[in-house]
Amino acid sequence: MSAHALDSRGAILARLKSPAPSLNQATALLGTPERPAVNPANLESEFLARLALPSVNASHDRIASIADLPAAIARYLTDQNEPLALCCPPDPRLTACDWSAFTLHANAAPDEAATLAIARKGIAETGSLIFETSPIAPMLPNFLTLHHIVLLPSRDIAAHLEDAPLPGPQPRAHYWITGVSGTTDIEGTYVRGAHGPRFLHVILLADI
């Protein structure tokens, strides 16, 4: 084990042995609001502000209609030096788009470069995205891909976590994603894409 690793391990163990928080520290923690303030009149800006946080680390774009989606994805993939190839869900809402510039496929490879998904909801409080599983919304491609491209209607942004329950018939499963996949080793080195996508790009749709 390297000297740097030993120093990092020692620092972690020292923190574990440190005294309990002082009364002032405990009082400050108790006085912190459990629910962060969110402006309900400006949910889109609040959501985008959370996407920009280092802990979420997502980029975004805006489109006026779903017909603009292929051009937005093409811009993103071109900027990332990726080919116009996309794992695309069999969602009937996407048939209105002109995908002639793309190579589309439904099944994701283990080294999939780019995958499109439609989020059921976004949460302004945390920048989280909620997805559901169904025959038109497969789950696996969203975890195999390098670039996770997500379409989110702006009207589906909710303020807080407790606003997240989904209306209507419930899917077999739903899952939440907040930012890109990452992990930190004992030396404190942060690695993106360790257990899933390395890049998250959210495209906000004005109407649907």
Side-chain angles (χ1 to χ4, degrees):
M1 185 178 292
S2 69
H4 178 67
L6 288 171
D7 289 344
S8 299
R9 181 174 180 272
I12 292 171
L13 292 175
R15 285 198 296 269
L16 293 176
K17 296 176 182 177
S18 63
S22 68
L23 179 59
N24 289 340
Q25 289 174 316
T27 302
L29 288 173
L30 291 173
T32 302
E34 292 185 7
R35 192 170 83 158
V38 171
N39 181 359
N42 207 3
L43 290 181
E44 183 176 309
S45 295
E46 295 270 5
F47 177 74
L48 293 179
R50 271 61 174 196
L51 287 187
L53 292 174
S55 57
V56 181
N57 203 12
S59 56
H60 77 275
D61 197 355
R62 290 185 177 93
I63 56 177
S65 71
I66 200 164
D68 300 322
L69 180 61
I73 296 175
R75 284 195 301 271
Y76 172 77
L77 291 178
T78 300
D79 288 345
Q80 300 295 322
N81 295 315
E82 295 284 358
L84 299 186
L86 189 66
C87 182
C88 192
D91 192 306
R93 290 171 291 182
L94 300 175
T95 59
C97 298
D98 178 7
W99 299 105
S100 58
F102 287 79
T103 300
L104 300 181
H105 51 281
N107 298 317
D111 58 348
E112 192 65 45
T115 293
L116 172 64
I118 300 178
R120 183 74 182 266
K121 262 189 187 301
I123 305 298
E125 175 186 350
T126 58
S128 300
L129 296 159
I130 305 176
F131 301 87
E132 64 182 16
T133 58
S134 76
I136 63 171
M139 178 174 63
L140 186 59
N142 298 324
F143 295 93
L144 293 176
T145 190
L146 177 66
H147 298 272
H148 194 198
I149 303 171
V150 177
L151 179 66
L152 173 66
S154 293
R155 70 181 184 185
D156 290 334
I157 298 175
H160 293 102
L161 297 174
E162 57 266 36
D163 301 323
L166 305 175
Q170 294 303 295
R172 181 176 180 86
H174 67 267
Y175 53 100
W176 298 51
I177 291 176
T178 306
V180 297
S181 168
T183 190
T184 303
D185 62 20
I186 196 170
E187 296 184 27
T189 302
Y190 177 67
V191 180
R192 287 173 58 183
H195 310 294
R198 190 180 300 170
F199 304 97
L200 174 62
H201 184 63
V202 179
I203 300 175
L204 291 178
L205 174 60
D207 59 37
I208 191 166

